[in-house]
Amino acid sequence: MQQTDPVRRTSEIEELTNLYVIHPVSGWLTRHFARLGVAPNAVSLGGMAAGVLAGAAYHHVGDVRFAVAGFLLMVVWHVMDGADGQLARLTGKQSQTGKILDGICDYVTFVSVYVGLALALSALYGAWVWALVVLAGGCHAVQSAAYERQRQDYNFWGWARGSAPVARAKVASGRRVGDLLFGLYNRLEALTAPGGEAGLNQRLAALLAEHPDRGPVIRQAYREAFAPLLRGWSILSANYRTIGIFLCVICRVPLAYFMFEIVGFSAILMLLLARQRMCDGAFMAGLDGLAGDVPCPGERRRDQAVFAVKAEASLVP
């Protein structure tokens, strides 16, 4: 299992195009941004500007040149979206405001692309296209929140990074717009939690509190059990939507993307949630053995807990 990098994202669960293309470029830019004193929020806004321009390019759905331009601008957004977080961690400028801004920039990018396509397609097919696009956007928001929730849970339980799921579930009580948006997003994430997740989270928290000396064993077992599952969740990442939009536009079937967003990605989400629910239960059943007097992380009890999760996962296609 690879060791997590405090600047880059957790590599063992990272989506392949991020791991080998986007984030290496983001890392190169991050070093230059840090040397120049560029603020992470400025990087986020720069990425959002590229996303808005991508939406304008995709408005010209019949022109291959604009389709390529839209795709490349979205790649720029992906690179900047990776660089802002890396820069914040590298310079110690992480903040809730920055996290909220990063999320807003992500949504503005896809809203811009969806609106650009909807404007062009409604002129061709009629106003009903807007209903299709809005429904696809709602499905997109739910799917993205579910994927992000699983990533955050993995980072917290596997590497002790970020905030606890219980803390994230609490809606921010402030009256600022940022607090309200943060709370709304947390509510959306909570709606996508698989059944049984709360019990696993409570059991993990209790075990880590009661047996702090067993923390490394428990966290390593969690990583070994759930990293393969998280790699499966990456099908819901923004990268595949960027590729899907481009392929559908270049093949002159942009409506097919929105239909797949509603039907295909939603079906995938249901399968992933079912798989996660089964594996959460299997891992929780093996937790008592992990808290026992096991001399090293590689011993049989840990392996039994990990094996149980993998066996449950194999039952779901």
Side-chain angles (χ1 to χ4, degrees):
M1 185 68 66
Q2 292 176 282
Q3 179 65 35
T4 186
D5 188 309
V7 174
R8 292 190 181 184
R9 289 187 175 186
T10 316
S11 59
E12 73 268 13
I13 62 169
E14 197 53 74
E15 189 275 330
L16 292 178
T17 59
N18 274 341
L19 189 61
Y20 295 109
V21 181
I22 300 297
H23 288 167
V25 178
S26 298
W28 179 82
L29 281 176
T30 295
R31 294 190 294 273
H32 290 280
F33 287 150
R35 189 177 66 253
L36 295 172
V38 178
N41 288 349
V43 177
S44 298
L45 292 172
M48 184 180 72
V52 172
L53 290 174
Y58 273 126
H59 176 62
H60 303 275
V61 290
D63 193 318
V64 173
R65 296 170 300 175
F66 281 101
V68 172
F71 175 73
L72 293 177
L73 285 164
M74 288 198 77
V75 171
V76 171
W77 162 67
H78 280 290
V79 169
M80 300 293 271
D81 186 48
D84 60 3
Q86 291 186 31
L87 183 61
R89 291 187 287 274
L90 179 64
T91 59
K93 295 181 178 179
Q94 295 171 277
S95 67
Q96 181 173 311
T97 300
K99 181 178 179 181
I100 293 169
L101 179 62
D102 181 57
I104 290 173
C105 291
D106 294 352
Y107 278 107
V108 167
T109 293
F110 274 101
V111 167
S112 298
V113 171
Y114 284 14
V115 168
L117 288 170
L119 285 169
L121 294 174
S122 62
L124 293 173
Y125 303 112
W128 66 269
V129 168
W130 284 100
L132 182 73
V133 172
V134 169
L135 180 57
C139 293
H140 178 165
V142 172
Q143 296 153 11
S144 296
Y147 174 49
E148 185 60 24
R149 181 185 182 86
Q150 296 303 325
R151 287 183 58 90
Q152 290 178 0
D153 282 1
Y154 180 89
N155 281 325
F156 182 77
W157 296 122
W159 290 109
R161 293 175 61 183
S163 57
V166 174
R168 296 199 309 269
K170 295 179 180 178
V171 179
S173 59
R175 296 183 177 180
R176 295 181 303 174
V177 173
D179 291 333
L180 294 174
L181 290 172
F182 187 66
L184 180 62
Y185 189 76
N186 281 336
R187 283 187 182 276
L188 184 59
E189 279 191 348
L191 290 174
T192 63
E197 182 193 72
L200 175 60
N201 291 339
Q202 292 172 1
R203 187 72 181 116
L204 281 168
L207 276 179
L208 290 170
E210 294 169 7
H211 306 278
D213 58 316
R214 306 302 297 161
V217 176
I218 295 170
R219 293 188 188 281
Q220 183 176 343
Y222 186 95
R223 295 195 300 270
E224 292 182 4
F226 287 99
L229 299 180
L230 261 294
R231 288 195 289 272
W233 275 90
S234 67
I235 189 65
L236 297 180
S237 70
N239 300 48
Y240 291 107
R241 288 185 172 86
T242 294
I243 295 170
I245 290 169
F246 173 67
L247 290 177
C248 288
V249 171
I250 206 76
C251 294
R252 300 181 184 275
V253 286
L255 282 176
Y257 168 78
F258 295 111
M259 293 176 181
F260 186 80
E261 175 64 75
I262 296 167
V263 179
F265 278 134
S266 294
I268 290 170
L269 174 61
M270 293 300 102
L271 286 173
L272 289 170
L273 286 172
R275 184 186 185 196
Q276 193 75 33
R277 186 182 304 114
M278 294 172 65
C279 294
D280 284 353
F283 188 76
M284 187 161 63
L287 276 177
D288 289 335
L290 294 176
D293 187 19
V294 185
C296 75
E299 291 286 341
R300 181 169 54 89
R301 291 181 186 175
R302 189 204 69 192
D303 293 340
Q304 287 174 340
V306 175
F307 177 77
V309 172
K310 292 179 178 178
E312 292 285 359
S314 68
L315 298 176
V316 181

Short mmCIF file of all heavy atoms in Angstrom, two decimals, residues 1 5 11 21 24 32 60 121 164 174 192 211 223 267 269:
data_model
loop_
_atom_site.label_atom_id
_atom_site.label_comp_id
_atom_site.label_asym_id
_atom_site.label_seq_id
_atom_site.Cartn_x
_atom_site.Cartn_y
_atom_site.Cartn_z
N MET A 1 0.85 -1.20 0.00
CA MET A 1 0.00 0.00 0.00
C MET A 1 0.89 1.24 0.00
O MET A 1 1.80 1.38 0.81
CB MET A 1 -0.89 0.01 1.25
CG MET A 1 -1.89 1.15 1.27
SD MET A 1 -3.16 1.00 -0.01
CE MET A 1 -4.02 -0.46 0.56
N ASP A 5 0.65 11.10 0.36
CA ASP A 5 1.44 12.31 0.23
C ASP A 5 0.67 13.45 0.88
O ASP A 5 -0.49 13.65 0.57
CB ASP A 5 1.68 12.61 -1.26
CG ASP A 5 2.65 13.75 -1.48
OD1 ASP A 5 2.47 14.82 -0.87
OD2 ASP A 5 3.59 13.58 -2.27
N SER A 11 -2.88 8.52 -3.13
CA SER A 11 -2.56 7.94 -4.44
C SER A 11 -3.21 6.58 -4.67
O SER A 11 -3.59 6.27 -5.80
CB SER A 11 -1.04 7.83 -4.60
OG SER A 11 -0.49 7.01 -3.57
N VAL A 21 -1.67 11.75 -15.24
CA VAL A 21 -1.68 12.89 -16.16
C VAL A 21 -1.97 14.21 -15.44
O VAL A 21 -1.11 15.09 -15.37
CB VAL A 21 -2.73 12.68 -17.29
CG1 VAL A 21 -2.70 13.88 -18.25
CG2 VAL A 21 -2.45 11.38 -18.05
N PRO A 24 0.23 15.06 -11.89
CA PRO A 24 1.64 15.41 -12.11
C PRO A 24 1.81 16.81 -12.71
O PRO A 24 2.71 17.55 -12.31
CB PRO A 24 2.11 14.32 -13.09
CG PRO A 24 1.26 13.14 -12.74
CD PRO A 24 -0.09 13.72 -12.45
N HIS A 32 5.57 26.14 -9.02
CA HIS A 32 5.77 27.49 -9.60
C HIS A 32 4.83 28.50 -8.94
O HIS A 32 5.23 29.63 -8.67
CB HIS A 32 5.55 27.43 -11.12
CG HIS A 32 6.63 26.70 -11.85
ND1 HIS A 32 7.85 27.26 -12.16
CD2 HIS A 32 6.68 25.42 -12.33
CE1 HIS A 32 8.60 26.39 -12.80
NE2 HIS A 32 7.91 25.26 -12.91
N HIS A 60 -21.12 25.70 -29.41
CA HIS A 60 -21.02 25.48 -30.85
C HIS A 60 -20.92 23.97 -31.11
O HIS A 60 -19.87 23.46 -31.52
CB HIS A 60 -19.80 26.22 -31.41
CG HIS A 60 -19.80 27.68 -31.13
ND1 HIS A 60 -20.46 28.61 -31.92
CD2 HIS A 60 -19.24 28.40 -30.12
CE1 HIS A 60 -20.29 29.83 -31.42
NE2 HIS A 60 -19.56 29.73 -30.33
N LEU A 121 -28.84 22.92 -27.95
CA LEU A 121 -29.73 21.80 -28.23
C LEU A 121 -31.20 22.20 -28.19
O LEU A 121 -32.02 21.67 -28.94
CB LEU A 121 -29.47 20.67 -27.22
CG LEU A 121 -28.09 20.01 -27.33
CD1 LEU A 121 -27.89 19.03 -26.19
CD2 LEU A 121 -27.92 19.32 -28.68
N ALA A 164 -13.97 14.13 10.89
CA ALA A 164 -14.75 12.92 11.11
C ALA A 164 -16.09 13.01 10.39
O ALA A 164 -16.66 14.09 10.26
CB ALA A 164 -14.97 12.71 12.61
N GLY A 174 -23.56 28.91 11.15
CA GLY A 174 -23.40 30.32 10.86
C GLY A 174 -24.41 30.82 9.84
O GLY A 174 -25.11 30.04 9.19
N THR A 192 -26.66 10.45 0.62
CA THR A 192 -26.08 9.40 -0.20
C THR A 192 -25.34 8.35 0.62
O THR A 192 -24.69 7.47 0.05
CB THR A 192 -25.10 9.99 -1.23
OG1 THR A 192 -24.00 10.61 -0.53
CG2 THR A 192 -25.78 11.03 -2.10
N HIS A 211 -8.75 1.77 22.07
CA HIS A 211 -7.49 1.07 21.81
C HIS A 211 -6.59 1.93 20.93
O HIS A 211 -6.32 1.57 19.77
CB HIS A 211 -7.75 -0.27 21.14
CG HIS A 211 -8.70 -1.16 21.87
ND1 HIS A 211 -8.32 -1.94 22.93
CD2 HIS A 211 -10.03 -1.37 21.69
CE1 HIS A 211 -9.37 -2.62 23.38
NE2 HIS A 211 -10.43 -2.29 22.65
N ARG A 223 -7.58 0.50 5.10
CA ARG A 223 -7.05 0.86 3.78
C ARG A 223 -7.02 -0.35 2.85
O ARG A 223 -7.40 -0.26 1.68
CB ARG A 223 -5.65 1.46 3.92
CG ARG A 223 -5.60 2.78 4.67
CD ARG A 223 -4.26 3.48 4.46
NE ARG A 223 -3.12 2.71 4.90
CZ ARG A 223 -2.60 2.75 6.12
NH1 ARG A 223 -3.15 3.51 7.05
NH2 ARG A 223 -1.53 2.03 6.42
N ALA A 267 -27.63 4.31 -12.21
CA ALA A 267 -27.61 2.86 -11.98
C ALA A 267 -26.28 2.43 -11.37
O ALA A 267 -26.24 1.59 -10.45
CB ALA A 267 -27.86 2.12 -13.29
N LEU A 269 -24.37 4.28 -9.52
CA LEU A 269 -24.38 4.74 -8.14
C LEU A 269 -25.13 3.75 -7.24
O LEU A 269 -24.67 3.43 -6.13
CB LEU A 269 -25.03 6.12 -8.04
CG LEU A 269 -25.24 6.67 -6.61
CD1 LEU A 269 -23.92 6.81 -5.88
CD2 LEU A 269 -25.99 7.99 -6.66
#
